[in-house]
Amino acid sequence: MVTSSPSPVPHHVAIVMDGNGRWATKRFLPRVAGHQQGVGALSRCVKACMARGISVLTVFAFSSENWNRPAEEVSGLMELLALSLAREVPSLKANGVQLHFVGERQQLSEKVRAGLAQAEATTADNSRLVLNVCFNYGGRWDIAQAARKLAASGQEITEMALDRALALAHVPDPDLLIRTGGELRISNFLLWQVAYSELHFSDKLWPDFDDTALDEAIAVYASRERRFGKTSGQLVPGTQPSTVKVA
């Protein structure tokens, strides 16, 4: 359901964190070094979102297509995930961040799966910011798994039922989708959920994405009129629709 909100700050921001590898290559460093810098950029972004009153942040950390990358890079990403969990989760818990890992877990090692579950359990009672980390995720996978879930339970596959069976059913759809790295595509990210999201493409490589870049994206978002199929004349003056799901 669509409700009205006058706030110029998006409730839910989604980010395709692109450009880690290119950031490292420009500096003659291994690609994994770029991913390490990307973790730092995410940590800064989480703090910036909380400071600006954003309630949900969803990031694309590892797509289901990324398994096709060189084995050394994939292995490095898995190791980085394990290290980041150990280092960042206590801080996330202390700062009120509720962590969710969204994606297919069967391909992950038992150690990584256990780490994800523990991180979620540790931060489950927090409510200041919901941080969804899409890991081994794909938008097509999400729609397919939701349809399988409904079919297995014998439920009719309606738009509302499918929406509630998706992996991000616990949060509203994104108001703003940001992609860094200068690419102009969404790369199989949140295909269902971004149907009415505002899109913003930044030339900054993800490790260089900072508070100023976030503020620029928010300013662009605030300048747009979100009509959801209506005309400008149908909108209540001084308000903008927001894709908040109501059960």
Side-chain angles (χ1 to χ4, degrees), residues 128-159:
R128 186 178 176 190
L129 175 77
V130 175
L131 173 59
N132 300 304
V133 179
C134 292
F135 196 85
N136 196 26
Y137 173 89
R140 291 176 177 177
W141 164 84
D142 196 5
I143 295 170
Q145 68 82 26
R148 285 196 301 270
K149 189 186 301 182
L150 294 178
S153 66
Q155 296 183 61
E156 181 183 1
I157 301 179
T158 64
E159 184 174 324

Side-chain angles (χ1 to χ4, degrees), residues 82-96:
L83 291 173
S84 298
L85 284 174
R87 183 176 64 247
E88 299 291 339
V89 167
S91 175
L92 293 173
K93 177 177 173 59
N95 286 301

Side-chain angles (χ1 to χ4, degrees), residues 60 63-65 104 136-148 162 166-167 186-193:
F60 206 5
S63 80
S64 48
E65 288 80 23
E104 175 58 64
N136 196 26
Y137 173 89
R140 291 176 177 177
W141 164 84
D142 196 5
I143 295 170
Q145 68 82 26
R148 285 196 301 270
L162 193 62
L166 292 168
I186 59 175
S187 296
N188 196 24
F189 184 46
L190 307 181
L191 296 182
W192 177 282
Q193 295 89 345

